[in-house]
Structure formats: structure tokens, C-alpha cells
Amino acid sequence: MRAGVLSDDRVIEFLNENFINVWVSNVELERTPRKQAYMARRREELSKTFDRTHPLAKAIMEGWKEHSPVDCLVIAPEYDVMGKLPLNDFFDDCFQTGIPEEDAYLKFLEDSLEGKLPGFNDGNSRAPSSGLNVVLNREQAEQEVLDILRTPRYGYQDYTVVEIDATAFEAGGTLTIDIRMGTAKPGGSFDLYDSDTELPTKGYPDDALTSAWDIPSGQIGRIRHHFDEGKVFKLGATGTWFNEKGSVNAFQAKISVEGS
């Protein structure tokens, strides 16, 4: 890193202007059984060691990739992971694409600040639809979205929003959303709204057309809604209220319309 991306003045200036830059040793975070055993011995000798229950430490552990020796993470002040970059994968991708490492790393930082969540869609056999806008018609009546949701404070909503454009189905139809939760701890709740509905930030989603609440980690759920004319919908995805605030999980939504 020091001889590569961190030797670029643009990267250093961007980091210094927008981030508090820190690093934490994998040994201190007890990332592998071998490191856990080592730290257990150290705790017997030292009066103070790294607190793995601290929200920052927990965010790091949520964001790292298994078997990756070094990860670069962008973490918000509220301890939400906004971007993740296993560096071995990063260097391999740059080599294969021919993109200069400095340019690719700067884009990773910029995308993280813009809320694009770089790194959350990596390693999937099927690419998700671009962005969070799904347009369906009779030629393409099904699409998939892969993204993340976050857990709000109890009684609040913190939606990841997917816009679903079904205006091509002028005579209406049935919208079906098959949802699969990722394997991280938090479960998810999903609410479907008309496009002109202002999404709530707290309380129960009383204005939702239909919902699928409290889908557990690794489990599936379904939303079905019949509509009489072509329209645009908004799907709001959020962590269930019974999760730890700020915890993150991925979700996959297969969205389809069967026209009337």
C-alpha cells in the first residue's frame, strides 16, 4: 500500500480531507483460532488489551472478508460499514482490468462516501440489476436486486429503497417479490409502497400496501400485490427492530410481474 496507492498525492489528499485514518491488527481482533489462542495468553500478561466489544471493532469484524489478510473498510460515524475492499482481491482485479491501482482505490473511496456501498455485491454468480431501480415490461418481466439493509433504533425505519417501475403493464397485474436474507445475524423487514408515498422514518409502516416482516437470517419471504393499472412502487428494506442497532445483512430480491 505505501509503495502503491498511498504514494499517490490525490489519494493522500482525499484521505486526509474526508477520513480519520486508523488501522487495527488482525492479531488484536483475534481473527483466527491461532490468533485467539495467542491473545488469550497475552491477556494473562497485560493489564489492557483491545476491546473487541467496542462498536468500531464490531463494525470491522462485520466488514472483513474471510481468509483475507488485509481489508480496507470505510465506516461511518454511526459505525455503519459503507465500503469494503479485500486488498488481495483489489490488486488481482486491477491486474486483470488494467486499471491503475491509484485510480481504482480513489474510486472505491469516492463510491463509499456517495453511499454506493462498494464491495457488498462481490462474489455473486448472478449480477444484480444496476443501482436500485428496476424497470419491468413484458419482454423483461423479472429482475434481481442484491443489496444490504441496516437495523434502525427500535421503533424507527432506516430503509434501503428499491424503485420498481411497472408502468409498462397498463392493464395491471400481480407483483411478486421473493426475498432471501443473507447469513449475517440480522433479520429483515420489507414494506411495499406506492411511489408517491412519503416513507416513514419511525413508527409502524401504516401506509404500506403490503409487507413481509421479520424474515430471519438465511431464510426466505415473499410479497405479493395485485394492481389494476401500470404504476411505480417503492420497496423499503430495513433490519428488524429486534436486531442490534446498526447491524447489517445482505438481501436478494427477485422481482417479477405477471400481467393481466
Side-chain angles (χ1 to χ4, degrees), residues 1-2 4-23 72-75 85 87 101-102 105-110 112-113:
M1 288 289 285
R2 288 193 297 269
V5 298
L6 297 184
S7 65
D8 187 287
D9 290 341
R10 297 172 303 154
V11 173
I12 293 299
E13 182 178 354
F14 193 81
L15 285 169
N16 289 337
E17 287 183 355
N18 295 281
F19 298 92
I20 298 173
N21 303 293
V22 300
W23 69 273
C72 179
L73 303 174
V74 175
I75 301 173
L85 186 67
L87 289 187
E101 294 173 1
E102 298 82 358
Y105 190 70
L106 188 58
K107 186 176 189 308
F108 161 73
L109 297 175
E110 292 171 342
S112 297
L113 291 187

PDB file of all heavy atoms in Angstrom, residues 1-2 4-23 72-75 85 87 101-102 105-110 112-113:
ATOM      1  N   MET A   1       0.830  -1.210   0.000  1.00  0.00           N
ATOM      2  CA  MET A   1       0.000   0.000   0.000  1.00  0.00           C
ATOM      3  C   MET A   1       0.861   1.255   0.000  1.00  0.00           C
ATOM      4  O   MET A   1       0.609   2.196  -0.744  1.00  0.00           O
ATOM      5  CB  MET A   1      -0.924  -0.001   1.218  1.00  0.00           C
ATOM      6  CG  MET A   1      -2.050  -1.008   1.149  1.00  0.00           C
ATOM      7  SD  MET A   1      -3.308  -0.545  -0.059  1.00  0.00           S
ATOM      8  CE  MET A   1      -4.124   0.779   0.829  1.00  0.00           C
ATOM      9  N   ARG A   2       1.877   1.290   0.850  1.00  0.00           N
ATOM     10  CA  ARG A   2       2.692   2.506   0.959  1.00  0.00           C
ATOM     11  C   ARG A   2       3.400   2.820  -0.351  1.00  0.00           C
ATOM     12  O   ARG A   2       3.531   3.980  -0.731  1.00  0.00           O
ATOM     13  CB  ARG A   2       3.711   2.362   2.098  1.00  0.00           C
ATOM     14  CG  ARG A   2       3.107   2.422   3.483  1.00  0.00           C
ATOM     15  CD  ARG A   2       4.187   2.602   4.527  1.00  0.00           C
ATOM     16  NE  ARG A   2       5.093   1.465   4.555  1.00  0.00           N
ATOM     17  CZ  ARG A   2       4.925   0.405   5.330  1.00  0.00           C
ATOM     18  NH1 ARG A   2       3.872   0.330   6.121  1.00  0.00           N
ATOM     19  NH2 ARG A   2       5.790  -0.588   5.326  1.00  0.00           N
ATOM     20  N   GLY A   4       2.355   1.849  -3.255  1.00  0.00           N
ATOM     21  CA  GLY A   4       1.381   1.879  -4.335  1.00  0.00           C
ATOM     22  C   GLY A   4       0.413   3.032  -4.207  1.00  0.00           C
ATOM     23  O   GLY A   4       0.761   4.194  -4.414  1.00  0.00           O
ATOM     24  N   VAL A   5      -0.835   2.713  -3.809  1.00  0.00           N
ATOM     25  CA  VAL A   5      -1.883   3.730  -3.809  1.00  0.00           C
ATOM     26  C   VAL A   5      -1.594   4.861  -2.821  1.00  0.00           C
ATOM     27  O   VAL A   5      -1.982   6.014  -3.041  1.00  0.00           O
ATOM     28  CB  VAL A   5      -3.257   3.098  -3.517  1.00  0.00           C
ATOM     29  CG1 VAL A   5      -3.624   2.109  -4.596  1.00  0.00           C
ATOM     30  CG2 VAL A   5      -3.279   2.421  -2.158  1.00  0.00           C
ATOM     31  N   LEU A   6      -0.913   4.552  -1.703  1.00  0.00           N
ATOM     32  CA  LEU A   6      -0.653   5.595  -0.705  1.00  0.00           C
ATOM     33  C   LEU A   6       0.540   6.475  -1.063  1.00  0.00           C
ATOM     34  O   LEU A   6       0.865   7.400  -0.318  1.00  0.00           O
ATOM     35  CB  LEU A   6      -0.446   4.963   0.673  1.00  0.00           C
ATOM     36  CG  LEU A   6      -1.654   4.209   1.237  1.00  0.00           C
ATOM     37  CD1 LEU A   6      -1.367   3.702   2.633  1.00  0.00           C
ATOM     38  CD2 LEU A   6      -2.898   5.087   1.228  1.00  0.00           C
ATOM     39  N   SER A   7       1.154   6.204  -2.190  1.00  0.00           N
ATOM     40  CA  SER A   7       2.201   7.110  -2.675  1.00  0.00           C
ATOM     41  C   SER A   7       1.641   8.139  -3.652  1.00  0.00           C
ATOM     42  O   SER A   7       2.384   8.995  -4.138  1.00  0.00           O
ATOM     43  CB  SER A   7       3.313   6.306  -3.369  1.00  0.00           C
ATOM     44  OG  SER A   7       2.826   5.671  -4.543  1.00  0.00           O
ATOM     45  N   ASP A   8       0.338   8.054  -3.920  1.00  0.00           N
ATOM     46  CA  ASP A   8      -0.311   8.979  -4.852  1.00  0.00           C
ATOM     47  C   ASP A   8      -0.840  10.188  -4.083  1.00  0.00           C
ATOM     48  O   ASP A   8      -1.619  10.040  -3.140  1.00  0.00           O
ATOM     49  CB  ASP A   8      -1.446   8.266  -5.587  1.00  0.00           C
ATOM     50  CG  ASP A   8      -2.049   9.103  -6.698  1.00  0.00           C
ATOM     51  OD1 ASP A   8      -2.770  10.064  -6.386  1.00  0.00           O
ATOM     52  OD2 ASP A   8      -1.788   8.788  -7.873  1.00  0.00           O
ATOM     53  N   ASP A   9      -0.453  11.387  -4.491  1.00  0.00           N
ATOM     54  CA  ASP A   9      -0.859  12.607  -3.779  1.00  0.00           C
ATOM     55  C   ASP A   9      -2.362  12.793  -3.769  1.00  0.00           C
ATOM     56  O   ASP A   9      -2.928  13.302  -2.794  1.00  0.00           O
ATOM     57  CB  ASP A   9      -0.184  13.831  -4.410  1.00  0.00           C
ATOM     58  CG  ASP A   9       1.312  13.871  -4.161  1.00  0.00           C
ATOM     59  OD1 ASP A   9       1.767  13.176  -3.227  1.00  0.00           O
ATOM     60  OD2 ASP A   9       2.024  14.588  -4.893  1.00  0.00           O
ATOM     61  N   ARG A  10      -3.042  12.395  -4.858  1.00  0.00           N
ATOM     62  CA  ARG A  10      -4.509  12.551  -4.898  1.00  0.00           C
ATOM     63  C   ARG A  10      -5.171  11.713  -3.819  1.00  0.00           C
ATOM     64  O   ARG A  10      -6.114  12.167  -3.146  1.00  0.00           O
ATOM     65  CB  ARG A  10      -5.044  12.133  -6.264  1.00  0.00           C
ATOM     66  CG  ARG A  10      -4.583  12.948  -7.451  1.00  0.00           C
ATOM     67  CD  ARG A  10      -5.049  12.272  -8.724  1.00  0.00           C
ATOM     68  NE  ARG A  10      -4.560  10.901  -8.794  1.00  0.00           N
ATOM     69  CZ  ARG A  10      -5.165   9.922  -9.488  1.00  0.00           C
ATOM     70  NH1 ARG A  10      -6.293  10.174 -10.131  1.00  0.00           N
ATOM     71  NH2 ARG A  10      -4.654   8.710  -9.511  1.00  0.00           N
ATOM     72  N   VAL A  11      -4.702  10.487  -3.658  1.00  0.00           N
ATOM     73  CA  VAL A  11      -5.280   9.593  -2.658  1.00  0.00           C
ATOM     74  C   VAL A  11      -5.035  10.128  -1.252  1.00  0.00           C
ATOM     75  O   VAL A  11      -5.941  10.174  -0.414  1.00  0.00           O
ATOM     76  CB  VAL A  11      -4.706   8.169  -2.812  1.00  0.00           C
ATOM     77  CG1 VAL A  11      -5.178   7.271  -1.665  1.00  0.00           C
ATOM     78  CG2 VAL A  11      -5.103   7.570  -4.148  1.00  0.00           C
ATOM     79  N   ILE A  12      -3.816  10.559  -0.985  1.00  0.00           N
ATOM     80  CA  ILE A  12      -3.476  11.065   0.344  1.00  0.00           C
ATOM     81  C   ILE A  12      -4.297  12.306   0.666  1.00  0.00           C
ATOM     82  O   ILE A  12      -4.830  12.449   1.786  1.00  0.00           O
ATOM     83  CB  ILE A  12      -1.974  11.375   0.431  1.00  0.00           C
ATOM     84  CG1 ILE A  12      -1.157  10.074   0.343  1.00  0.00           C
ATOM     85  CG2 ILE A  12      -1.649  12.117   1.718  1.00  0.00           C
ATOM     86  CD1 ILE A  12      -1.442   9.090   1.449  1.00  0.00           C
ATOM     87  N   GLU A  13      -4.426  13.210  -0.288  1.00  0.00           N
ATOM     88  CA  GLU A  13      -5.206  14.431  -0.050  1.00  0.00           C
ATOM     89  C   GLU A  13      -6.669  14.092   0.223  1.00  0.00           C
ATOM     90  O   GLU A  13      -7.288  14.651   1.138  1.00  0.00           O
ATOM     91  CB  GLU A  13      -5.095  15.357  -1.264  1.00  0.00           C
ATOM     92  CG  GLU A  13      -5.837  16.676  -1.081  1.00  0.00           C
ATOM     93  CD  GLU A  13      -5.669  17.604  -2.275  1.00  0.00           C
ATOM     94  OE1 GLU A  13      -4.887  17.271  -3.189  1.00  0.00           O
ATOM     95  OE2 GLU A  13      -6.323  18.669  -2.288  1.00  0.00           O
ATOM     96  N   PHE A  14      -7.230  13.151  -0.547  1.00  0.00           N
ATOM     97  CA  PHE A  14      -8.630  12.763  -0.354  1.00  0.00           C
ATOM     98  C   PHE A  14      -8.827  12.095   1.004  1.00  0.00           C
ATOM     99  O   PHE A  14      -9.811  12.355   1.706  1.00  0.00           O
ATOM    100  CB  PHE A  14      -9.063  11.826  -1.481  1.00  0.00           C
ATOM    101  CG  PHE A  14     -10.547  11.608  -1.559  1.00  0.00           C
ATOM    102  CD1 PHE A  14     -11.367  12.534  -2.174  1.00  0.00           C
ATOM    103  CD2 PHE A  14     -11.133  10.478  -1.007  1.00  0.00           C
ATOM    104  CE1 PHE A  14     -12.739  12.345  -2.250  1.00  0.00           C
ATOM    105  CE2 PHE A  14     -12.502  10.266  -1.068  1.00  0.00           C
ATOM    106  CZ  PHE A  14     -13.306  11.210  -1.696  1.00  0.00           C
ATOM    107  N   LEU A  15      -7.901  11.226   1.391  1.00  0.00           N
ATOM    108  CA  LEU A  15      -7.987  10.577   2.695  1.00  0.00           C
ATOM    109  C   LEU A  15      -7.919  11.591   3.825  1.00  0.00           C
ATOM    110  O   LEU A  15      -8.720  11.546   4.775  1.00  0.00           O
ATOM    111  CB  LEU A  15      -6.861   9.559   2.841  1.00  0.00           C
ATOM    112  CG  LEU A  15      -7.005   8.241   2.080  1.00  0.00           C
ATOM    113  CD1 LEU A  15      -5.693   7.461   2.104  1.00  0.00           C
ATOM    114  CD2 LEU A  15      -8.122   7.387   2.667  1.00  0.00           C
ATOM    115  N   ASN A  16      -6.976  12.525   3.731  1.00  0.00           N
ATOM    116  CA  ASN A  16      -6.798  13.499   4.807  1.00  0.00           C
ATOM    117  C   ASN A  16      -7.978  14.447   4.924  1.00  0.00           C
ATOM    118  O   ASN A  16      -8.298  14.920   6.028  1.00  0.00           O
ATOM    119  CB  ASN A  16      -5.509  14.286   4.590  1.00  0.00           C
ATOM    120  CG  ASN A  16      -4.269  13.450   4.843  1.00  0.00           C
ATOM    121  OD1 ASN A  16      -4.325  12.454   5.555  1.00  0.00           O
ATOM    122  ND2 ASN A  16      -3.151  13.847   4.270  1.00  0.00           N
ATOM    123  N   GLU A  17      -8.643  14.731   3.820  1.00  0.00           N
ATOM    124  CA  GLU A  17      -9.760  15.679   3.836  1.00  0.00           C
ATOM    125  C   GLU A  17     -11.067  15.042   4.303  1.00  0.00           C
ATOM    126  O   GLU A  17     -11.932  15.725   4.853  1.00  0.00           O
ATOM    127  CB  GLU A  17      -9.967  16.267   2.445  1.00  0.00           C
ATOM    128  CG  GLU A  17      -8.911  17.279   2.030  1.00  0.00           C
ATOM    129  CD  GLU A  17      -9.196  17.880   0.674  1.00  0.00           C
ATOM    130  OE1 GLU A  17     -10.175  17.426   0.019  1.00  0.00           O
ATOM    131  OE2 GLU A  17      -8.452  18.786   0.251  1.00  0.00           O
ATOM    132  N   ASN A  18     -11.214  13.728   4.097  1.00  0.00           N
ATOM    133  CA  ASN A  18     -12.534  13.114   4.295  1.00  0.00           C
ATOM    134  C   ASN A  18     -12.579  12.015   5.351  1.00  0.00           C
ATOM    135  O   ASN A  18     -13.682  11.584   5.710  1.00  0.00           O
ATOM    136  CB  ASN A  18     -13.026  12.519   2.970  1.00  0.00           C
ATOM    137  CG  ASN A  18     -13.269  13.568   1.910  1.00  0.00           C
ATOM    138  OD1 ASN A  18     -14.285  14.241   1.922  1.00  0.00           O
ATOM    139  ND2 ASN A  18     -12.322  13.712   0.986  1.00  0.00           N
ATOM    140  N   PHE A  19     -11.441  11.569   5.848  1.00  0.00           N
ATOM    141  CA  PHE A  19     -11.445  10.402   6.720  1.00  0.00           C
ATOM    142  C   PHE A  19     -10.565  10.615   7.946  1.00  0.00           C
ATOM    143  O   PHE A  19      -9.637  11.428   7.933  1.00  0.00           O
ATOM    144  CB  PHE A  19     -10.917   9.167   5.969  1.00  0.00           C
ATOM    145  CG  PHE A  19     -11.744   8.768   4.778  1.00  0.00           C
ATOM    146  CD1 PHE A  19     -11.442   9.261   3.521  1.00  0.00           C
ATOM    147  CD2 PHE A  19     -12.818   7.914   4.913  1.00  0.00           C
ATOM    148  CE1 PHE A  19     -12.192   8.909   2.414  1.00  0.00           C
ATOM    149  CE2 PHE A  19     -13.579   7.551   3.818  1.00  0.00           C
ATOM    150  CZ  PHE A  19     -13.264   8.050   2.570  1.00  0.00           C
ATOM    151  N   ILE A  20     -10.885   9.868   8.997  1.00  0.00           N
ATOM    152  CA  ILE A  20      -9.955   9.647  10.099  1.00  0.00           C
ATOM    153  C   ILE A  20      -9.343   8.279   9.837  1.00  0.00           C
ATOM    154  O   ILE A  20     -10.033   7.252   9.857  1.00  0.00           O
ATOM    155  CB  ILE A  20     -10.668   9.674  11.460  1.00  0.00           C
ATOM    156  CG1 ILE A  20     -11.300  11.038  11.695  1.00  0.00           C
ATOM    157  CG2 ILE A  20      -9.693   9.341  12.579  1.00  0.00           C
ATOM    158  CD1 ILE A  20     -12.172  11.101  12.940  1.00  0.00           C
ATOM    159  N   ASN A  21      -8.057   8.264   9.552  1.00  0.00           N
ATOM    160  CA  ASN A  21      -7.409   7.047   9.076  1.00  0.00           C
ATOM    161  C   ASN A  21      -6.772   6.288  10.241  1.00  0.00           C
ATOM    162  O   ASN A  21      -5.921   6.827  10.949  1.00  0.00           O
ATOM    163  CB  ASN A  21      -6.346   7.409   8.031  1.00  0.00           C
ATOM    164  CG  ASN A  21      -6.937   8.198   6.877  1.00  0.00           C
ATOM    165  OD1 ASN A  21      -7.732   7.665   6.123  1.00  0.00           O
ATOM    166  ND2 ASN A  21      -6.568   9.458   6.752  1.00  0.00           N
ATOM    167  N   VAL A  22      -7.218   5.049  10.431  1.00  0.00           N
ATOM    168  CA  VAL A  22      -6.691   4.214  11.516  1.00  0.00           C
ATOM    169  C   VAL A  22      -6.457   2.805  10.978  1.00  0.00           C
ATOM    170  O   VAL A  22      -6.974   2.436   9.919  1.00  0.00           O
ATOM    171  CB  VAL A  22      -7.659   4.148  12.716  1.00  0.00           C
ATOM    172  CG1 VAL A  22      -7.902   5.528  13.295  1.00  0.00           C
ATOM    173  CG2 VAL A  22      -8.991   3.522  12.300  1.00  0.00           C
ATOM    174  N   TRP A  23      -5.683   2.043  11.709  1.00  0.00           N
ATOM    175  CA  TRP A  23      -5.538   0.628  11.376  1.00  0.00           C
ATOM    176  C   TRP A  23      -5.586  -0.188  12.651  1.00  0.00           C
ATOM    177  O   TRP A  23      -5.248   0.289  13.725  1.00  0.00           O
ATOM    178  CB  TRP A  23      -4.233   0.368  10.602  1.00  0.00           C
ATOM    179  CG  TRP A  23      -2.979   0.537  11.414  1.00  0.00           C
ATOM    180  CD1 TRP A  23      -2.295   1.695  11.620  1.00  0.00           C
ATOM    181  CD2 TRP A  23      -2.284  -0.481  12.138  1.00  0.00           C
ATOM    182  NE1 TRP A  23      -1.205   1.467  12.424  1.00  0.00           N
ATOM    183  CE2 TRP A  23      -1.166   0.138  12.758  1.00  0.00           C
ATOM    184  CE3 TRP A  23      -2.468  -1.847  12.321  1.00  0.00           C
ATOM    185  CZ2 TRP A  23      -0.265  -0.560  13.538  1.00  0.00           C
ATOM    186  CZ3 TRP A  23      -1.572  -2.550  13.106  1.00  0.00           C
ATOM    187  CH2 TRP A  23      -0.474  -1.905  13.698  1.00  0.00           C
ATOM    188  N   CYS A  72      -9.551  -3.112   3.618  1.00  0.00           N
ATOM    189  CA  CYS A  72      -9.760  -1.672   3.769  1.00  0.00           C
ATOM    190  C   CYS A  72     -11.252  -1.434   3.909  1.00  0.00           C
ATOM    191  O   CYS A  72     -12.039  -1.856   3.053  1.00  0.00           O
ATOM    192  CB  CYS A  72      -9.208  -0.929   2.549  1.00  0.00           C
ATOM    193  SG  CYS A  72      -9.441   0.864   2.640  1.00  0.00           S
ATOM    194  N   LEU A  73     -11.659  -0.786   4.998  1.00  0.00           N
ATOM    195  CA  LEU A  73     -13.074  -0.555   5.279  1.00  0.00           C
ATOM    196  C   LEU A  73     -13.340   0.928   5.457  1.00  0.00           C
ATOM    197  O   LEU A  73     -12.536   1.644   6.066  1.00  0.00           O
ATOM    198  CB  LEU A  73     -13.495  -1.293   6.552  1.00  0.00           C
ATOM    199  CG  LEU A  73     -13.264  -2.806   6.579  1.00  0.00           C
ATOM    200  CD1 LEU A  73     -13.586  -3.358   7.957  1.00  0.00           C
ATOM    201  CD2 LEU A  73     -14.118  -3.488   5.532  1.00  0.00           C
ATOM    202  N   VAL A  74     -14.461   1.386   4.937  1.00  0.00           N
ATOM    203  CA  VAL A  74     -14.946   2.741   5.186  1.00  0.00           C
ATOM    204  C   VAL A  74     -16.121   2.618   6.145  1.00  0.00           C
ATOM    205  O   VAL A  74     -17.114   1.947   5.840  1.00  0.00           O
ATOM    206  CB  VAL A  74     -15.373   3.431   3.882  1.00  0.00           C
ATOM    207  CG1 VAL A  74     -15.987   4.794   4.179  1.00  0.00           C
ATOM    208  CG2 VAL A  74     -14.175   3.583   2.941  1.00  0.00           C
ATOM    209  N   ILE A  75     -16.007   3.244   7.314  1.00  0.00           N
ATOM    210  CA  ILE A  75     -17.007   3.108   8.371  1.00  0.00           C
ATOM    211  C   ILE A  75     -17.527   4.487   8.742  1.00  0.00           C
ATOM    212  O   ILE A  75     -16.751   5.415   9.000  1.00  0.00           O
ATOM    213  CB  ILE A  75     -16.396   2.405   9.595  1.00  0.00           C
ATOM    214  CG1 ILE A  75     -15.883   1.012   9.190  1.00  0.00           C
ATOM    215  CG2 ILE A  75     -17.412   2.296  10.726  1.00  0.00           C
ATOM    216  CD1 ILE A  75     -15.121   0.302  10.284  1.00  0.00           C
ATOM    217  N   LEU A  85     -13.102  -3.521   1.057  1.00  0.00           N
ATOM    218  CA  LEU A  85     -12.169  -3.818  -0.021  1.00  0.00           C
ATOM    219  C   LEU A  85     -11.093  -4.784   0.466  1.00  0.00           C
ATOM    220  O   LEU A  85     -10.128  -4.359   1.104  1.00  0.00           O
ATOM    221  CB  LEU A  85     -11.522  -2.518  -0.519  1.00  0.00           C
ATOM    222  CG  LEU A  85     -10.614  -2.612  -1.732  1.00  0.00           C
ATOM    223  CD1 LEU A  85     -11.419  -2.974  -2.966  1.00  0.00           C
ATOM    224  CD2 LEU A  85      -9.890  -1.285  -1.952  1.00  0.00           C
ATOM    225  N   LEU A  87      -7.834  -6.409   0.052  1.00  0.00           N
ATOM    226  CA  LEU A  87      -6.781  -5.870  -0.801  1.00  0.00           C
ATOM    227  C   LEU A  87      -6.211  -6.884  -1.782  1.00  0.00           C
ATOM    228  O   LEU A  87      -5.820  -6.510  -2.894  1.00  0.00           O
ATOM    229  CB  LEU A  87      -5.667  -5.271   0.063  1.00  0.00           C
ATOM    230  CG  LEU A  87      -6.051  -3.975   0.770  1.00  0.00           C
ATOM    231  CD1 LEU A  87      -4.850  -3.366   1.464  1.00  0.00           C
ATOM    232  CD2 LEU A  87      -6.649  -2.965  -0.206  1.00  0.00           C
ATOM    233  N   GLU A 101      -3.975   1.133 -10.033  1.00  0.00           N
ATOM    234  CA  GLU A 101      -4.401   0.919  -8.652  1.00  0.00           C
ATOM    235  C   GLU A 101      -4.819   2.220  -7.978  1.00  0.00           C
ATOM    236  O   GLU A 101      -5.785   2.250  -7.213  1.00  0.00           O
ATOM    237  CB  GLU A 101      -3.267   0.259  -7.870  1.00  0.00           C
ATOM    238  CG  GLU A 101      -2.949  -1.152  -8.335  1.00  0.00           C
ATOM    239  CD  GLU A 101      -1.719  -1.720  -7.661  1.00  0.00           C
ATOM    240  OE1 GLU A 101      -1.134  -1.000  -6.809  1.00  0.00           O
ATOM    241  OE2 GLU A 101      -1.332  -2.860  -7.959  1.00  0.00           O
ATOM    242  N   GLU A 102      -4.098   3.312  -8.248  1.00  0.00           N
ATOM    243  CA  GLU A 102      -4.417   4.587  -7.616  1.00  0.00           C
ATOM    244  C   GLU A 102      -5.814   5.062  -8.012  1.00  0.00           C
ATOM    245  O   GLU A 102      -6.588   5.535  -7.170  1.00  0.00           O
ATOM    246  CB  GLU A 102      -3.385   5.650  -7.992  1.00  0.00           C
ATOM    247  CG  GLU A 102      -1.970   5.340  -7.526  1.00  0.00           C
ATOM    248  CD  GLU A 102      -1.231   4.387  -8.458  1.00  0.00           C
ATOM    249  OE1 GLU A 102      -1.853   3.940  -9.453  1.00  0.00           O
ATOM    250  OE2 GLU A 102      -0.057   4.096  -8.190  1.00  0.00           O
ATOM    251  N   TYR A 105      -8.515   2.714  -6.372  1.00  0.00           N
ATOM    252  CA  TYR A 105      -8.651   2.926  -4.924  1.00  0.00           C
ATOM    253  C   TYR A 105      -9.364   4.244  -4.633  1.00  0.00           C
ATOM    254  O   TYR A 105     -10.226   4.316  -3.745  1.00  0.00           O
ATOM    255  CB  TYR A 105      -7.280   2.913  -4.264  1.00  0.00           C
ATOM    256  CG  TYR A 105      -7.342   2.889  -2.756  1.00  0.00           C
ATOM    257  CD1 TYR A 105      -7.780   1.761  -2.084  1.00  0.00           C
ATOM    258  CD2 TYR A 105      -6.972   3.997  -2.007  1.00  0.00           C
ATOM    259  CE1 TYR A 105      -7.853   1.724  -0.702  1.00  0.00           C
ATOM    260  CE2 TYR A 105      -7.038   3.978  -0.622  1.00  0.00           C
ATOM    261  CZ  TYR A 105      -7.476   2.841   0.023  1.00  0.00           C
ATOM    262  OH  TYR A 105      -7.550   2.816   1.392  1.00  0.00           O
ATOM    263  N   LEU A 106      -9.051   5.273  -5.402  1.00  0.00           N
ATOM    264  CA  LEU A 106      -9.722   6.558  -5.218  1.00  0.00           C
ATOM    265  C   LEU A 106     -11.208   6.435  -5.524  1.00  0.00           C
ATOM    266  O   LEU A 106     -12.048   6.996  -4.813  1.00  0.00           O
ATOM    267  CB  LEU A 106      -9.079   7.610  -6.110  1.00  0.00           C
ATOM    268  CG  LEU A 106      -9.537   9.060  -5.910  1.00  0.00           C
ATOM    269  CD1 LEU A 106      -9.291   9.519  -4.475  1.00  0.00           C
ATOM    270  CD2 LEU A 106      -8.812   9.976  -6.894  1.00  0.00           C
ATOM    271  N   LYS A 107     -11.557   5.659  -6.552  1.00  0.00           N
ATOM    272  CA  LYS A 107     -12.972   5.446  -6.869  1.00  0.00           C
ATOM    273  C   LYS A 107     -13.674   4.686  -5.749  1.00  0.00           C
ATOM    274  O   LYS A 107     -14.833   4.974  -5.420  1.00  0.00           O
ATOM    275  CB  LYS A 107     -13.119   4.687  -8.180  1.00  0.00           C
ATOM    276  CG  LYS A 107     -14.579   4.569  -8.653  1.00  0.00           C
ATOM    277  CD  LYS A 107     -14.693   3.896  -9.991  1.00  0.00           C
ATOM    278  CE  LYS A 107     -16.116   3.989 -10.520  1.00  0.00           C
ATOM    279  NZ  LYS A 107     -17.138   3.524  -9.566  1.00  0.00           N
ATOM    280  N   PHE A 108     -12.988   3.716  -5.147  1.00  0.00           N
ATOM    281  CA  PHE A 108     -13.563   2.996  -4.014  1.00  0.00           C
ATOM    282  C   PHE A 108     -13.906   3.962  -2.880  1.00  0.00           C
ATOM    283  O   PHE A 108     -14.993   3.908  -2.293  1.00  0.00           O
ATOM    284  CB  PHE A 108     -12.585   1.933  -3.524  1.00  0.00           C
ATOM    285  CG  PHE A 108     -12.847   1.451  -2.125  1.00  0.00           C
ATOM    286  CD1 PHE A 108     -13.922   0.629  -1.845  1.00  0.00           C
ATOM    287  CD2 PHE A 108     -12.012   1.835  -1.082  1.00  0.00           C
ATOM    288  CE1 PHE A 108     -14.169   0.191  -0.546  1.00  0.00           C
ATOM    289  CE2 PHE A 108     -12.248   1.399   0.211  1.00  0.00           C
ATOM    290  CZ  PHE A 108     -13.336   0.576   0.476  1.00  0.00           C
ATOM    291  N   LEU A 109     -12.999   4.867  -2.566  1.00  0.00           N
ATOM    292  CA  LEU A 109     -13.244   5.833  -1.501  1.00  0.00           C
ATOM    293  C   LEU A 109     -14.402   6.759  -1.858  1.00  0.00           C
ATOM    294  O   LEU A 109     -15.281   7.036  -1.029  1.00  0.00           O
ATOM    295  CB  LEU A 109     -11.982   6.653  -1.247  1.00  0.00           C
ATOM    296  CG  LEU A 109     -10.745   5.883  -0.750  1.00  0.00           C
ATOM    297  CD1 LEU A 109      -9.551   6.817  -0.671  1.00  0.00           C
ATOM    298  CD2 LEU A 109     -11.009   5.228   0.600  1.00  0.00           C
ATOM    299  N   GLU A 110     -14.426   7.243  -3.092  1.00  0.00           N
ATOM    300  CA  GLU A 110     -15.489   8.164  -3.523  1.00  0.00           C
ATOM    301  C   GLU A 110     -16.841   7.457  -3.512  1.00  0.00           C
ATOM    302  O   GLU A 110     -17.841   8.029  -3.044  1.00  0.00           O
ATOM    303  CB  GLU A 110     -15.168   8.693  -4.922  1.00  0.00           C
ATOM    304  CG  GLU A 110     -13.960   9.611  -4.961  1.00  0.00           C
ATOM    305  CD  GLU A 110     -13.524   9.955  -6.370  1.00  0.00           C
ATOM    306  OE1 GLU A 110     -13.920   9.221  -7.314  1.00  0.00           O
ATOM    307  OE2 GLU A 110     -12.780  10.936  -6.551  1.00  0.00           O
ATOM    308  N   SER A 112     -17.764   4.980  -1.698  1.00  0.00           N
ATOM    309  CA  SER A 112     -18.173   4.747  -0.308  1.00  0.00           C
ATOM    310  C   SER A 112     -18.853   5.986   0.268  1.00  0.00           C
ATOM    311  O   SER A 112     -19.920   5.881   0.898  1.00  0.00           O
ATOM    312  CB  SER A 112     -16.960   4.371   0.540  1.00  0.00           C
ATOM    313  OG  SER A 112     -16.382   3.163   0.108  1.00  0.00           O
ATOM    314  N   LEU A 113     -18.265   7.153   0.054  1.00  0.00           N
ATOM    315  CA  LEU A 113     -18.852   8.384   0.582  1.00  0.00           C
ATOM    316  C   LEU A 113     -20.176   8.725  -0.092  1.00  0.00           C
ATOM    317  O   LEU A 113     -21.027   9.375   0.512  1.00  0.00           O
ATOM    318  CB  LEU A 113     -17.869   9.543   0.400  1.00  0.00           C
ATOM    319  CG  LEU A 113     -16.596   9.495   1.251  1.00  0.00           C
ATOM    320  CD1 LEU A 113     -15.798  10.786   1.090  1.00  0.00           C
ATOM    321  CD2 LEU A 113     -16.912   9.261   2.715  1.00  0.00           C
TER     322      LEU A 113
END
